[in-house]
């Protein structure tokens, strides 16, 4: 009966309000349809379907697959309404498929200004669409919201979701339908961005309201809206207003029809270091917060700041789950949220009252949360890197990130990947000039799955202070672990855990009434677990890395499970050696499974790496100083995308062909490869700068070739990528 009601409710919602919006979260769980990214309006990533269950899952096989013809990241969870699957791909492409056969019904290719990639830190991804009242909503990478006819894909309207195009805004999130409006936040708080949330009329695309996450320079007069008058008091009046302050709410946005509120998780501070952003400190509202906005007006109803005065890139943008649970004997409507900062919060979603804040991982930025005041007990003596390098736990990629978790109402478990790891942070030497549309992070980040192992390769000014930190003990005991965990959200306790392949391996999760949890891995395996015990029940090698969350639906009596498969997102140029993307390339696909399906076609292995081709001779007049200058320019402008590692997603510039060397200037200054995402630089770099970069790369290619010839002579493998990720973003 319960199940029947739930299914009915979802169908009725899909038909009436058209979006799974309205109605009761606890009742509207997904069944045949999967109407939001998380299935139901609360986005619990849980389905009532149970044809695929503990007994039958052994028969799981491929129903259909579509190759999307991209090697960039795919992060969206598809939506299925009445037998049609809608999903988004690179830069905001949209696809509509017959959900039973995989036949493409239409696709939409937004005309994206690819120059936007200059302010995209973490791949040209898109996290999905919203479907309501016969329209499909998506936001392109360059920040345009599109409303498409759900039947044909034709553009019904298009609206600018970027508040200030002079800044570094872009968009990677999924729109959220909230009553009569559709809501989206901006992305890009690694650049000069001022976080904002924009709401457009569902029918016309007219801007209805805009909420800014951070105040503007008080010298410019009154704030854009009254909520910011409160916020501005928590910033130094001499803050770096010119670089926007950050706070970009690039993912979690949840409409709560019970309260009429839109809950928004806000982003990190920009620049990262509080001392550079707001020199006198302060909480810097509304960074690292959940803000609850009135869906009709955009005015703030309540807020809860998870990371006051963020100093560590602790976004609060991880997906939220709205549900109900009994807390201390009282039945409450709650929001579950585990942001980057390492806590799993349970809040009453009517008023933001803090009910639980359990630490999921080791942390040294805070020592618990004071449940009376709701404030974390900050421990800057262990985590403030402005006075010297620190190893900060959790690491910058966060204990959790964008990868969706599931909430299983039957077991009461919160199921998602959790990363227990620290990374070294230190101030980039010298005062970094913070400027428009440039990476504005003054902190350098050092990641490694084995920090201890890379210490000897660091210069003594870094190595010695890092080696002396008390956190080295943590690193030695356990350098880092990433697990799929089933957690009791009221105690933070782990009921079961499954160890993932490494710290980049943190796929989204799906739980079902069939007693199962589905999850993909970047090692290419699609896995199914018993949700109560964590026992691995089924494993399918797909040959494609998976990060996105699986979802499930039913058409004509058949249950399907779908997932978008590709490596990508933050750190995308560093393809982990254990990943399927490293071995077989990054062939982005949609994979759909059913009982008694077939085998998944596995992409062929990449050919073995060849020795870097010979580089051309240096131009006359190139000196070691030219090469050094070229390296600095390369690190500041190019390295975020070009990791120069074998099998990277972007070209390894130590392996350029003769033709590429010849076209170097046309590529870098002239935008020859702009349509493929390689920006042009003629507004920022002079011909002389580009010559210097080229000289540096020629030098690097020669060194690489010499080293690789030597390795080949000694019979050693060529493609051992470095352990270190060293960047100043
Ligand atoms: C936003 C990410 C990004 C940044 C920043 C970036 N590139 Fe690229 N670059 C790309 C992508 C993606 C390609 C591959 C384009 C293609 O597939 O045609 C590329 C290709 C190239 C190529 C062609 C290589 C080949 O073998 O075909 C060169 C040369 C190049 N980039 C140089 C640079 C330089 C120099 C800079 C810094 C001034 C830079 N890039 C910054 C993304 C980037």
């Amino acid at each position: 009966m319960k199940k029947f009601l739930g299914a009915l409710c979802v169908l009725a919602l899909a038909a009436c309000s058209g979006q799974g919006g309205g109605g009761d979260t606890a009742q509207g769980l997904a069944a045949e349809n999967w109407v939001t990214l998380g299935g139901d309006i609360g986005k619990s990533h849980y389905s009532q379907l149970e044809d695929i269950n503990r007994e039958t899952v052994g028969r799981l096989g491929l129903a259909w697959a579509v190759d999307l013809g991209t090697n960039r990241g795919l992060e969206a969870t598809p939506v299925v309404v009445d037998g049609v699957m809608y999903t988004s791909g690179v830069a905001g492409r949209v696809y509509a498929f017959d959900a039973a056969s995989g036949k493409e019904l239409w696709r939409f290719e937004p005309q994206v200004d690819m120059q936007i990639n200059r302010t995209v830190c973490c791949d040209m991804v898109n996290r999905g669409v919203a479907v309501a009242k016969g329209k499909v909503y998506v936001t392109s990478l360059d920040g345009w919201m599109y409303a498409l006819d759900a039947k044909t894909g034709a553009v019904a309207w298009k609206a600018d979701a970027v508040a200030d195009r002079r800044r570094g805004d872009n968009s990677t999130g999924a729109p959220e339908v909230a009553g009569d409006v559709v809501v989206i936040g901006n992305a890009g708080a690694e650049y000069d961005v001022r976080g904002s949330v924009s709401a457009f009329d569902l029918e016309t695309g007219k801007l209805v309201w805009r909420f800014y996450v951070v105040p503007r320079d008080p010298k410019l007069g009154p704030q854009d809206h009254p909520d910011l008058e409160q916020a501005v008091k928590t910033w130094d009046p001499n803050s770096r207003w010119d670089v926007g302050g950050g706070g970009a709410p690039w993912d979690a946005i949840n409409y709560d029809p019970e309260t009429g509120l839109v809950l928004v998780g806000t982003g990190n501070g920009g620049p990262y270091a509080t001392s550079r952003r707001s020199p006198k400190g302060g909480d810097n509202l509304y960074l690292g917060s959940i803000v609850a906005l009135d869906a009709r007006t955009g005015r703030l109803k309540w807020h809860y700041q998870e990371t006051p005065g963020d100093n560590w890139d602790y976004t609060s943008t991880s997906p939220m789950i709205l549900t109900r649970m009994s807390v201390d004997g009282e039945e409450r409507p709650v929001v579950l949220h585990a942001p980057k900062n390492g806590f799993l919060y349970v809040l009453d979603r009517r008023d933001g009252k803090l009910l639980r804040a359990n630490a999921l991982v080791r942390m040294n930025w805070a020592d618990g949360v004071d449940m009376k005041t709701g404030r974390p007990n900050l421990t800057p003596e262990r985590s403030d890197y402005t006075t010297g390098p620190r190893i900060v736990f959790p690491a910058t990629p966060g204990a959790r990130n964008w990868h969706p978790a599931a909430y299983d109402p039957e077991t009461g478990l919160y199921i998602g990947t959790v990363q227990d790891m620290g990374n070294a942070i230190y101030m980039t030497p010298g005062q970094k000039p913070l400027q428009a549309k440039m990476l504005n992070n003054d902190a350098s980040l050092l990641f490694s799955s084995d920090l201890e192992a890379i210490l000897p390769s660091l210069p003594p000014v870094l190595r010695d202070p890092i080696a002396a930190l008390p956190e080295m003990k943590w690193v030695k005991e356990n350098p880092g672990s990433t697990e799929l965990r089933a957690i009791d959200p009221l105690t933070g306790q782990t009921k079961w855990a499954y160890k993932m392949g490494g710290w980049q391996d943190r796929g989204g999760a799906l739980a079902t009434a069939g007693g199962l949890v589905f999850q993909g891995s970047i090692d290419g395996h699609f896995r199914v677990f018993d949700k109560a015990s964590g026992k691995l029940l089924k494993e399918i090698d797909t040959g494609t890395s998976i990060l996105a969350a699986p979802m499930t639906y039913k058409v004509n009596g058949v249950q399907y499970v779908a997932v978008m498969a590709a490596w990508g997102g933050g750190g995308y140029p560093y393809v982990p050696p254990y990943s399927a993307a490293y071995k077989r390339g990054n062939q982005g696909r949609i994979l759909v499974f059913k009982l008694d399906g077939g085998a998944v076609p596995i992409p062929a292995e990449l050919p073995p790496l060849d020795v870097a081709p010979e580089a051309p001779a240096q131009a006359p007049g190139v000196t070691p100083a030219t090469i050094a200058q070229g390296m600095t320019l390369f690190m500041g402008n190019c390295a975020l995308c070009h990791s120069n590692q074998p099998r990277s997603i972007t070209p390894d510039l130590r392996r350029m062909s003769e033709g590429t060397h010849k076209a170097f200037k046309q590529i870098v200054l002239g935008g020859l490869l702009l349509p493929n995402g390689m920006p042009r630089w003629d507004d920022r770099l002079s011909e002389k700068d580009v010559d210097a970069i080229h000289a540096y790369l020629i030098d690097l290619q020669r060194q690489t070739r010499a080293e690789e010839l030597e390795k080949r002579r000694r019979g050693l493998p060529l493609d051992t990528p470095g352990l270190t990720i060293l960047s100043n973003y």
Side-chain angles (χ1 to χ4, degrees):
M1 188 61 195
K2 184 183 125 241
K3 255 159 234 147
F4 179 60
L5 256 181
L8 236 178
C9 189
V10 168
L11 288 172
L13 288 170
C16 304
S17 78
Q19 53 123 349
D24 187 300
T25 307
Q27 292 293 312
L29 296 168
E32 267 84 355
N33 286 338
W34 183 274
V35 294
T36 71
L37 292 192
D40 56 290
I41 190 69
K43 300 210 182 92
S44 50
H45 289 267
Y46 168 85
S47 168
Q48 300 178 89
L49 297 180
E50 52 184 3
D51 295 346
I52 304 172
N53 57 42
R54 291 181 178 101
E55 281 70 46
T56 60
V57 70
R59 291 160 39 204
L60 197 68
L62 191 76
W64 55 269
V66 175
D67 188 332
L68 297 179
T70 178
N71 74 338
R72 303 297 292 262
L74 297 172
E75 296 187 351
T77 319
V79 166
V80 170
V81 181
D82 300 336
V84 180
M85 175 187 291
Y86 305 94
T87 192
S88 70
V90 171
R93 288 177 184 143
V94 182
Y95 307 88
F97 298 103
D98 177 319
S101 68
K103 181 177 172 281
E104 185 175 307
L105 303 175
W106 53 261
R107 71 167 70 186
F108 168 69
E109 178 84 38
Q111 292 305 307
V112 176
D113 173 5
M114 280 290 167
Q115 195 61 6
I116 197 78
N117 278 297
R118 278 254 296 264
T119 58
V120 175
C121 72
C122 303
D123 203 356
M124 303 189 219
V125 293
N126 187 279
R127 272 174 231 94
V129 298
V131 182
K133 297 185 182 167
K135 291 197 181 68
V136 179
Y137 299 89
V138 74
T139 313
S140 60
L141 188 68
D142 55 351
W144 289 87
M145 165 93 76
Y146 292 86
L148 310 173
D149 183 316
K151 287 221 166 63
T152 63
V155 177
W157 57 256
K158 173 183 175 185
D160 194 352
V162 170
D164 183 351
R165 290 226 165 246
R166 289 166 303 182
R167 293 197 181 278
D169 298 47
N170 61 78
S171 188
T172 59
E176 172 80 342
V177 171
D180 298 327
V181 293
V182 54
V183 183
I184 188 74
N186 63 354
E190 270 60 46
Y191 301 81
D192 63 317
V193 159
R194 182 181 179 209
S196 64
V197 189
S198 307
F200 301 95
D201 182 278
L202 275 184
E203 293 302 325
T204 65
K206 188 175 160 286
L207 182 71
V208 179
W209 52 260
R210 178 167 278 149
F211 176 88
Y212 286 95
V213 174
V214 302
R216 64 174 188 167
D217 187 346
K219 286 203 247 354
L220 297 175
Q223 294 295 330
D224 305 83
H225 44 84
D227 318 306
L228 291 173
E229 300 295 350
Q230 207 50 38
V232 76
K233 294 179 193 147
T234 66
W235 291 71
D236 184 335
N238 294 315
S239 290
R240 287 300 302 266
W241 308 114
D242 56 325
V243 290
W250 52 262
D251 197 24
I253 303 185
N254 281 49
Y255 177 54
D256 181 356
E258 288 175 53
T259 58
L261 297 175
V262 183
L263 272 52
V264 180
T266 69
N268 56 282
Y272 287 170
T274 322
S275 60
R276 295 266 169 95
R277 185 175 69 241
S278 174
K280 291 208 182 89
D283 286 353
N284 290 189
L285 289 170
Y286 298 98
L287 299 179
S289 304
I290 297 178
V291 293
L293 311 177
D294 185 320
R296 285 159 312 169
T297 63
R299 290 289 71 81
L300 186 73
K301 286 290 162 164
W302 58 261
H303 76 274
Y304 177 73
Q305 192 174 37
E306 295 171 329
T307 312
D310 169 41
N311 201 22
W312 311 277
D313 188 22
Y314 286 161
T315 68
S316 282
T317 53
S318 316
M320 290 180 252
I321 294 173
L322 312 186
T323 186
R324 284 177 178 281
M325 57 176 58
S326 172
V327 185
D328 304 326
E330 193 184 331
E331 173 83 8
R332 286 181 184 265
V334 299
V335 49
L336 307 180
H337 195 221
K340 275 185 175 185
N341 78 12
F343 288 104
L344 169 54
Y345 299 92
V346 184
L347 304 177
D348 190 312
R349 58 187 147 90
R350 292 169 297 194
D351 53 11
K353 182 180 162 45
L354 179 68
L355 304 171
R356 291 289 189 280
N358 288 303
L360 299 181
V361 294
R362 296 170 294 174
M363 54 173 81
N364 65 350
W365 69 277
D367 182 10
V369 172
D370 182 328
M371 292 304 289
K372 281 217 182 65
T373 63
R375 291 184 68 86
N377 305 311
L378 297 174
T379 50
E381 65 283 2
R382 293 177 66 192
S383 57
D384 183 6
Y385 53 85
T386 48
T387 50
R390 297 277 178 192
I391 305 170
V392 179
F393 284 76
T396 313
R400 284 196 38 77
N401 204 303
W402 63 266
H403 321 74
Y407 176 68
D408 177 45
E410 284 172 63
T411 57
L413 293 171
Y414 175 91
I415 302 157
T417 42
V418 176
Q419 184 165 289
D420 184 359
M421 187 174 110
N423 67 317
I425 312 185
Y426 55 95
M427 294 305 287
T428 307
Q431 188 84 23
K432 193 175 173 190
L434 307 177
Q435 46 190 300
K437 295 191 186 259
M438 281 299 286
L439 280 169
N440 276 323
N441 291 312
D442 38 13
S444 291
L445 313 174
L446 184 57
F447 297 100
S448 172
S449 51
D450 193 349
L451 201 54
E452 199 186 2
I454 62 165
L455 278 187
S457 64
L458 298 179
V461 285
L462 280 178
R463 184 191 59 213
D464 298 343
I466 292 176
L469 290 169
E471 281 74 15
M472 265 325 281
K473 191 166 169 313
W474 288 4
V475 171
K476 283 178 185 163
E477 282 165 3
N478 173 7
S481 73
T482 304
E483 295 173 335
L484 175 67
R485 286 192 199 166
I487 301 164
D488 178 344
L490 293 177
T491 63
Q493 246 137 40
T494 299
K495 176 99 189 292
W496 57 261
Y498 180 84
K499 199 166 168 45
M500 304 298 291
W503 67 271
Q504 300 99 330
D505 194 11
R506 44 202 319 196
L510 160 71
T512 71
L516 305 175
V517 168
F518 295 80
Q519 193 214 25
S521 160
I522 63 171
D523 69 13
H525 288 81
F526 189 62
R527 298 194 174 94
V528 192
F529 304 88
D530 182 315
K531 73 181 182 187
S533 67
K535 184 169 175 245
L536 181 63
L537 299 176
K538 175 79 180 173
E539 188 169 41
I540 298 176
D541 186 3
T542 72
T544 305
S545 292
I546 304 170
L547 286 167
M551 50 79 69
T552 185
Y553 58 93
K554 197 165 181 173
V555 185
N556 301 332
V558 179
Q559 185 187 352
Y560 297 86
V561 177
V563 70
M564 299 194 70
W567 160 254
Y572 70 95
Y574 302 89
V575 183
Y578 63 89
S579 69
Y582 193 88
K583 201 168 167 190
R584 303 177 185 278
N586 199 31
Q587 204 175 312
R589 298 194 284 174
I590 299 182
L591 302 172
V592 181
F593 304 90
K594 65 173 185 182
L595 294 181
D596 305 319
V600 181
I602 295 190
E605 279 192 33
L606 295 174
L609 205 67
D610 214 347
V611 172
E614 200 152 356
Q618 289 285 14
V622 168
T623 63
T626 321
I627 292 170
Q629 193 216 349
M631 180 171 128
T632 307
L633 287 167
F634 184 84
M635 291 303 164
N637 297 294
C638 323
L640 184 67
C641 296
H642 292 285
S643 62
N644 287 346
Q645 295 202 353
R647 309 201 161 170
S648 175
I649 299 304
T650 48
D652 178 352
L653 301 179
R654 305 168 308 173
R655 297 175 189 282
M656 282 189 279
S657 68
E658 206 187 323
T660 304
H661 279 288
K662 285 213 175 94
F664 194 81
K665 262 189 213 161
Q666 280 159 279
I667 294 171
V668 181
L669 289 173
L672 194 64
L673 302 179
L674 184 61
N676 302 335
M678 164 60 198
R680 61 190 292 163
W681 297 84
D682 48 347
D683 59 331
R684 185 170 299 280
L685 300 176
S686 67
E687 233 180 282
K688 209 169 146 242
D689 292 336
V690 174
D691 285 341
I693 295 174
H694 197 186
Y696 161 66
L697 291 171
I698 289 172
D699 190 59
L700 198 62
Q701 184 162 342
R702 294 179 139 198
Q703 277 178 40
T704 306
R705 182 174 164 81
E707 282 163 21
E708 289 181 346
L709 283 171
E710 177 61 16
K711 277 187 187 163
R712 174 145 296 179
R713 202 181 58 78
R714 294 165 56 193
L716 298 172
L718 300 183
D719 56 348
T720 11
L723 269 171
T724 318
I725 297 180
L726 186 57
S727 71
N728 68 339
Y729 80 94

